[in-house]
Amino acid sequence: MKKKELLKGLWSQHPIYRQLLGMCPTLAVTTTAINGIAMGLAVIFVLFFSEFVVASIKRIVPHQVRIAVYTVIIATFVTIVDIFLKAQFPQISKNLGPYVPLIIVNCIILGRCEAFASKNKLSNSLLDALGMGVGFCWGLFVLGSIRELLGAGEILGQRLLPLNFDPLVVMILPAGAFLVLGFLVALMNQVERWKI
Amino acid sequence: MENLILIFISTILINNVVLTYFLGICPFLGVSGKMESALGMGMAVTFVMTLATSISWLIYYLVLERFGLTFLEYVVFILIIASLVQIVEMFIKKYSKNLYQSLGIYLPLITSNCAILGVALFMIVKEYSFLESVVFGFSGGLGFSLVLMVMAGIREELDFADIPETFKGAPLTLITAGILALIFMGFSGLGGG
């Protein structure tokens, strides 16, 4: 077990801000912080179990059909998450809509299965999944918080800005998602440049 | 008929797959650097998306729903798309060398393109009829191609601009996409929402 496998997903190889993976859910569901967290948790679950299965069966899957096999494994876990959310948290399931099934084609999951779990030990794969999943989750939370704060003056439903603040509705609309993410990625670049 | 035209226009301009539903962002960021590759990718996506929505619709309503297997929706759809891409690739490789050379490298990328699966899922959510779904798939692909090409045009010009080091690459592309999304919001009056 290596600590660096866990930590790399949190900052140095952050899935959203560094590798620009999994853009659809990142942009689509982060209208509020709570939606961001819900999507993040769903991705952690799917990523963890997919990497677990892929790392366990890597020796018996023929090379030519591996992508198809991985996709079916991922789709199975996504179906579990979807049914669970529908039964237990109908409101969140409604907010996220078709973006829950779209986790299947989220490039983070297939990407980590192919690039990491299919080549590494089971224990390291699980750490990698946790690190990447938690990294993805905080990335969504930050993006969702900024958009919710500027677009509605709240974070997690808590009023933070004074009531006479005029919400920038555009932040909740699609255009705001692109703009905020663009500036966040630029900020990350700048932080890296200061380090040098 | 009126209904179909409304779906056609609104899917391209108002509810654009890239700018409103955020589908297919990865190729949008990756392939939109050059006009030529944007055109190739757009054509390949339009082609596969039209086929994928038609076949998914038939299988969903004629097989899955009839036998109460709708929980298999996601697994079935992703398999349809993956095998469709494979078949299309083999088919054009055999029958059209020219088409294969221009589309060939984009086809494998399409399986993991969320736009295709996304459009198939939205078609079920919106409860479209078969004909509506075909139009929806086709215009979804056209909308994707349109935005990809507009973006490629802008990025080719941006290559000559003097940009702060921090914003080079992805941040600038994302901000440009944001401004493009703002512009496309202007179309929302067209179809009455």
Side-chain angles (χ1 to χ4, degrees), chain A residues 20 24 82 99 107 174 186 189-190, chain B residues 19 21 26 74 114 165-166 170:
Chain A
L20 295 169
C24 317
D82 188 51
Y99 293 100
C107 15
N189 283 353
Q190 189 63 44
Chain B
L19 297 176
Y21 292 138
C26 300
Y74 312 147
C114 35
E165 201 59 40
T166 317

Side-chain angles (χ1 to χ4, degrees), chain B residues 56-72:
Chain B
S56 305
W57 192 94
L58 290 175
I59 293 193
Y60 184 83
Y61 287 103
L62 299 184
V63 180
L64 294 184
E65 206 179 51
R66 178 170 299 175
F67 299 108
L69 295 171
T70 46
F71 64 92
L72 283 178

Side-chain angles (χ1 to χ4, degrees), chain A residues 159-186:
Chain A
R159 188 88 206 169
L160 286 181
L161 293 178
L163 281 174
N164 58 5
F165 169 77
D166 210 8
L168 303 162
V169 180
V170 69
M171 284 303 159
I172 296 186
L173 296 174
F178 285 112
L179 295 175
V180 175
L181 184 64
F183 280 104
L184 279 176
V185 176

